[in-house]
């Protein structure tokens, strides 16, 4: 090795000069020095040999090049093996030849920094003889030989290490992306310091859109937990068991509102080791809680509805008797009679009782709806006249009805009741006056909307919005306003049924209702009803009752009082009326009369054969016979649906003599057969 030879030569020369300058009496010492010199020379030779061995048999590629010409001066066997050039080829090459062209400028720049000593030269792209390129980690040692700057290079192929490092970087990046994009909060917090150590964007958002820097400053106990003691309890449980699973608690959002969450996580460190760290996943349960509340609400209403429905059935039957009997008696007395006034009072009371039953059934969603194709604007326009009277002079009524509104299949009376109930509430919320705004428009609820508003189904709807500029509804009572009997009004001013009726009607119509309210600024109720492409059918009601010409009617009803009452009324109206107490009896009567019955008036709810089953049998046996159903209430939703689908005429109990007369007449005039 030239530089080792240089060092050895310098040492020998220095020793000889020293010997020549030494006096005779010191010759003994010189001999001694000679021995030492011989040893040193041997040592140098040994060292040179070892170092030569280190170079030539090193498993890593090594070479020496001239810093000026950049030519290879020496290469070891490993370099020959690694790069694929023979030693002779190397000797005719420069170090620029073992790197891709694009790497040359950077290399030239680096090599121009001439500093002596060891230098970690970093990782470079090198090229083999076969053209393949690989990453090489290079360590350089610069020295001077005969006035020339030279470099000893050690190059290690780090392809595998780079691959592993890249894979590791990639894995870390995808893990980070997973945490950053996770739909639930992820965090690590220092228990003793009471601070968050690290957290993901979802948790920042959940806590009220803090920046990461702000979140890291939070005092967890006081600023993150709604109840600081809840955190103490959580730590206690963690220290006892090490983990928690689905711990339900409430966090405090930046604006002070509550965020119900479920936490799952574990504790590490502690007991004089590294600091205690709590690693956890935080699930936002806000939507879940809202859904739960909605389900509870629906269940509650359904329970009350079933109860109301059960009562309504019997109640309506009683009312039919009261109503028809009173009217029959009224027919017999002159207006001057002392019975006239009390009879009228009974009749009015029965009407009020009937209205009450209707309301009970409406919020229980059990009412027999009589929907038809309507245009929402028509109902609103027909209602506004009455609304103006109800809301009074201090409240201004503004309507904004979209001209292109689509049709929907609704019971117009029920929609009118919905508008009325909402308007009355609005009026009550504006004791000092204000504006009642009624708006209709088409609404296309897409999947993006319905995902955020379960259980709304995507589709086309007509929207009815009723807004006021009143007191608004406090956040704390908002979840309860649709509850039956929930009212904030003083005794006698409100029953708390208004909104539950609205809710019932909207649900029964296949629609949805949403409330937006800001205390002090007013409230908006938005009602969505499904649309239809069908057009309104013109119902022709005969204004004048035409005296019947001997048609025969059959009244099928299991309640004897009603049966007799109805028959009596029909006879007074001029019809022939037969009666039957059950489906089987009805079939017998028909047989006896050889099917000469024009219309069967059938109660829907009877013991034995159900009303709609009887209608089907009659249709098979006597195709010309018409059917008119009557019912106060039926729990049997299949029967209700069947009737609606058949479009069969239907008479809601309780009814007046006029209602009965009109329904019978219409049914006889209709072309609709029972099947
Ligand atoms: N537009 C509104 N502005 C402010 N509060 C309202 C509004 N609508 C309803 N509320 C609140 O909701 C409660 C329930 O309303 P709901 O119509 O069911 O019953 P009510 O009006 O109290 O009684 P009822 O309608 O049976 O006479 C009301 O007592 C009121 O507190
Ligand atoms: Mg009300």
């Amino acid at each position: 090795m030239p530089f080792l030879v240089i060092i050895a030569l310098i040492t020998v020369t220095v020793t000889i000069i020293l010997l020549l300058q030494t006096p005779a009496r010191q010759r003994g010492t010189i001999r001694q020095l000679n021995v030492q010199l011989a040893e040193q020379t041997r040592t140098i030779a040994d060292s040179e040999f070892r170092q030569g061995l280190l170079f030539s048999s090193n498993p890593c590629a090594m070479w020496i090049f001239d810093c000026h010409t950049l030519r290879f001066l020496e290469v070891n066997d490993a370099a020959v093996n690694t790069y694929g050039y023979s030693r002779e080829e190397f000797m005719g090459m420069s170090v620029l030849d073992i790197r891709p062209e694009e790497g040359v400028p950077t290399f030239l720049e680096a090599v121009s920094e001439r500093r002596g000593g060891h230098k970690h030269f970093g990782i470079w792209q090198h090229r083999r003889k076969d053209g393949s390129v690989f990453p090489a980690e290079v360590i350089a040692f610069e020295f001077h030989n005969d006035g020339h700057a030279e470099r000893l290079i050690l190059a290690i192929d780090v392809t595998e290490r780079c691959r592993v490092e890249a894979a590791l970087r990639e894995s870390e990046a995808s893990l980070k992306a997973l945490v950053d994009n996770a739909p639930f909060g992820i965090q690590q917090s220092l228990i003793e310091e009471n601070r968050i150590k690290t957290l993901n964007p979802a948790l920042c958002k959940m806590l009220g859109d803090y920046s990461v820097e702000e979140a890291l400053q939070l005092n967890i106990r006081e600023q993150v937990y709604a109840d600081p003691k809840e955190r103490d309890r959580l730590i206690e449980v963690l220290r006892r068991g090490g983990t928690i699973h689905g711990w339900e608690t409430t966090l405090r959002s930046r604006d002070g509102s509550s965020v119900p969450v479920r936490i799952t996580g574990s504790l590490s460190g502690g007991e004089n080791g590294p600091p205690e760290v709590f690693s956890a996943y935080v699930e936002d349960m806000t939507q879940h809680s809202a859904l739960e509340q909605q389900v509870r609400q629906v269940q509650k209403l359904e329970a009350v509805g079933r109860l109301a429905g059960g009562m309504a059935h019997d109640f309506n039957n009683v009312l039919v008797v009261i109503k028809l009997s009173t009217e029959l008696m009224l027919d017999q007395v002159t207006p001057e009679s002392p019975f006239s006034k009390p009879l009228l009072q009974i009749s009015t009371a029965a009407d009020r009782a009937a209205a009450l039953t209707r309301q009970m059934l409406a919020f229980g969603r059990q009412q027999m709806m009589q929907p038809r194709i309507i245009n929402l604007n028509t109902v609103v326009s027909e209602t506004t006249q009455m609304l103006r009277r109800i809301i009074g002079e201090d409240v201004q009524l503004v309507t904004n009805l979209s001209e292109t509104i689509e049709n929907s299949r609704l019971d117009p009376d029920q929609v009118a009741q919905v508008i009325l109930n909402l308007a009355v509430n609005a009026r009550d919320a504006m004791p000092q006056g204000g504006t009642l705004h009624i708006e209709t428009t088409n609404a296309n609820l897409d999947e993006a909307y319905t995902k955020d508003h379960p259980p709304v189904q995507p589709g086309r709807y007509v929207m009815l919005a009723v807004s006021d500029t009143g007191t608004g509804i406090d956040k704390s009572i908002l979840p309860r306003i649709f509850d039956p009997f929930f009212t904030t009004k003083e005794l006698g001013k409100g029953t708390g049924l208004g909104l539950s009726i609205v809710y019932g009607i909207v649900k029964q119509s296949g629609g949805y209702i949403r409330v937006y309210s800001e205390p002090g600024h007013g409230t908006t109720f938005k009602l969505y009803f499904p649309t239809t492409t069908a057009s309104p059918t013109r119902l022709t009601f005969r204004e004048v009752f035409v005296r019947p010409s001997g048609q025969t009617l059959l009244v099928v009803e299991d309640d004897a009082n009603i049966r007799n009452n109805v028959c009596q009324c029909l006879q007074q109206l001029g019809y022939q009326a037969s009666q039957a107490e059950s489906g089987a009896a009805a079939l017998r009567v028909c047989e006896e009369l050889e099917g000469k019955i024009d219309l069967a008036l059938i109660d829907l709810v009877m013991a034995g054969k159900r009303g709609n089953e009887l209608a089907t049998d009659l249709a098979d046996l006597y195709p010309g016979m018409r059917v008119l159903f009557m019912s106060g209430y039926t729990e049997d939703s299949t029967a209700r649906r069947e009737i609606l689908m058949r479009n069969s005429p239907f008479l809601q109990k309780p009814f007046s003599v006029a209602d009965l007369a009109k329904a019978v007449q219409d049914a006889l005039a209709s072309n609709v057969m029972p099947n």
Side-chain angles (χ1 to χ4, degrees), residues 332-550:
Q332 307 294 316
V333 298
T334 57
E336 294 76 36
S337 156
F339 297 117
S340 172
K341 203 171 164 210
L343 280 174
L344 274 172
Q345 275 171 344
I346 297 175
S347 180
T348 318
D351 282 343
R352 277 181 42 207
L356 230 117
T357 340
R358 260 205 306 281
Q359 290 206 336
M360 285 203 318
L361 290 176
F363 80 71
R365 299 204 271 139
Q366 310 281 350
Q367 200 180 35
M368 193 75 197
M369 292 234 303
Q370 290 180 293
R372 45 195 163 103
I373 314 295
I374 59 158
N375 187 288
L376 193 59
N377 287 352
T378 318
V379 186
V380 176
S381 309
E382 280 171 4
T383 327
T384 43
Q385 191 64 22
M386 180 177 54
L387 280 188
R388 275 185 225 280
R389 271 205 315 275
I390 288 172
I391 57 176
E393 282 170 7
D394 294 337
V395 176
Q396 201 197 345
L397 175 67
V398 180
T399 53
N400 200 347
L401 311 181
S402 155
E403 279 175 18
T404 56
I405 196 104
E406 289 173 40
N407 289 333
S408 38
R409 201 173 140 75
L410 296 169
D411 180 331
D413 294 339
Q414 290 196 331
V415 177
Q417 191 178 2
V418 162
I419 299 172
L420 200 73
N421 287 10
L422 292 176
V424 169
N425 282 349
R427 177 204 62 192
D428 292 348
M430 300 184 284
Q432 318 293 341
T435 309
L436 170 65
H437 198 262
I438 300 184
E439 186 193 343
T440 62
T441 176
N442 293 319
N444 196 10
L445 304 185
D446 57 14
E447 299 226 347
Y449 177 90
T450 53
K451 232 169 80 187
D452 290 342
H453 299 85
V456 181
Q457 295 298 312
R460 295 195 64 77
Y461 292 83
V462 285
M463 197 264 286
L464 168 72
V466 179
S467 316
D468 63 59
T469 53
T471 53
I473 305 173
D474 199 86
K475 231 180 174 175
S476 61
I477 66 159
L478 205 56
R480 300 175 60 198
I481 57 169
F482 293 104
D483 281 3
F485 308 111
F486 174 79
T487 180
T488 53
K489 295 170 189 172
E490 55 189 271
L491 207 67
K493 286 260 170 78
T495 60
L497 281 179
L499 283 183
S500 52
I501 289 168
V502 170
Y503 185 88
I505 291 175
V506 172
K507 282 280 145 206
Q508 210 177 355
S509 314
Y512 303 102
I513 184 163
R514 302 214 76 81
V515 195
Y516 306 86
S517 188
E518 211 172 303
H521 289 95
T523 306
T524 298
F525 285 86
K526 283 190 177 172
L527 281 57
Y528 296 89
F529 299 104
T531 59
T532 171
T533 45
S535 317
T537 42
R538 256 176 216 292
L539 292 179
T540 51
F541 294 112
R542 259 182 245 178
E543 297 286 305
V544 194
F545 178 66
V546 184
R547 193 122 191 114
S549 48

Side-chain angles (χ1 to χ4, degrees), residues 1 4 43-56:
M1 302 289 84
L4 294 174
T43 314
I44 288 169
D46 281 355
S47 148
E48 193 175 330
F49 172 74
R50 280 197 215 105
Q51 295 196 35
L53 203 64
L54 253 176
F55 181 84
S56 62

Side-chain angles (χ1 to χ4, degrees), residues 58-71:
N58 199 308
C60 298
M62 292 177 85
W63 61 85
I64 292 170
F65 72 92
D66 186 317
C67 290
H68 182 64
T69 63
L70 303 182
R71 298 236 145 243

